[in-house]
């Protein structure tokens, strides 16, 4: 538990200074946080990376080996990914006690994201802009004590049904870690 609190504090501090984005030798902003996406069998299926690009937080995802089509994608409240069901990731990140879905008048959860669109070959390589509050390092930021995970679901998220948009089983998960 002490290690998780320390990891969360380190990442929160990194996110708080994200406005001073670090750049690698290629000029690309270095990751503020990242995680390896694993499927229910524990196999690596991709990577998720959070970067600060000119003061805007961005989630990049590169994944393969998934069923083609849209998949629900959410930040979950716990920084654990125990296969095969990934229930250890807990519910969606939701410090405000809102309802699920970007189309829900009582939503969204802080961890709600657009659907991940996987191509016919079973892969996706895309990025999403994140709410500034997620990268602030304050209350409701991505990582708090206990960490945060990113979960890909089997089905599309309808973006309005509480608690998870009818997005089905959790098929891949990544624990987000600093840098």
């Amino acid at each position: 538990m002490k290690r998780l609190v320390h990891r969360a504090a380190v990442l929160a501090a990194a996110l708080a200074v994200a406005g001073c984005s670090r750049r690698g030798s290629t000029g690309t902003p270095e990751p503020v946080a990242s995680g390896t996406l694993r499927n229910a069998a524990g196999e690596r299926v991709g990577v998720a990376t959070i970067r600060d690009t000119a003061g805007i937080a961005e989630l990049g995802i590169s994944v393969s080996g998934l069923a083609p089509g849209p998949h629900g994608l959410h930040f979950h409240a716990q920084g654990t990914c125990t296969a095969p069901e990934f229930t250890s990731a807990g519910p969606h990140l939701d410090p405000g006690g809102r309802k699920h879905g970007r189309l829900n008048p009582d939503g969204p959860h802080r961890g709600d994201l657009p659907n991940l669109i996987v191509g016919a070959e079973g892969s996706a390589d895309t990025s999403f802009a994140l709410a500034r509050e997620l990268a602030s390092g304050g209350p409701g930021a991505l990582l708090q004590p206990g960490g945060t995970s990113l979960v890909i679901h089997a089905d599309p998220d309808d973006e309005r049904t509480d608690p998870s948009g009818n997005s089905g089983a959790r098929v891949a998960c990544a624990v987000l870690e600093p840098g």
Side-chain angles (χ1 to χ4, degrees):
M1 179 65 170
K2 197 179 229 183
R3 184 172 172 237
L4 286 175
V5 170
H6 175 72
R7 278 192 352 216
V10 169
L11 183 57
L15 290 170
V17 298
C20 306
S21 82
R22 301 168 298 165
R23 297 204 175 263
S25 60
T26 63
T28 303
E30 291 182 14
V32 173
S34 63
T36 299
L37 286 155
R38 298 196 179 276
N39 64 16
E43 301 163 330
R44 183 185 186 280
V45 294
V47 64
T49 306
I50 298 172
R51 297 182 189 280
D52 174 43
T53 306
I56 298 171
E58 180 179 83
L59 169 65
I61 297 176
S62 182
V63 66
S64 62
L66 296 180
H71 293 265
L73 180 67
H74 311 110
F75 289 118
H76 284 250
Q78 299 299 314
T80 61
C81 290
T82 304
E85 297 175 351
F86 306 118
T87 56
S88 61
H92 294 180
L93 182 65
D94 183 31
R98 305 206 45 165
K99 298 289 184 185
H100 173 78
R102 297 178 316 136
L103 302 177
N104 186 325
D106 297 321
H109 292 145
R110 181 75 45 92
D112 291 347
L113 294 165
N115 282 308
L116 175 66
I117 307 301
V118 175
E121 73 291 345
S123 65
D125 191 6
T126 190
S127 62
F128 302 97
L130 300 176
R132 190 74 181 138
E133 309 85 63
L134 286 171
S136 70
L142 271 176
L143 288 187
Q144 299 293 319
T148 303
S149 56
L150 179 69
V151 173
I152 300 173
H153 292 263
D155 300 322
D157 183 339
D158 68 18
E159 300 193 34
R160 67 176 76 237
T161 305
D162 203 46
S164 64
N166 289 325
S167 54
R170 300 170 183 195
V171 297
C173 186
V175 174
L176 298 175
E177 307 238 8

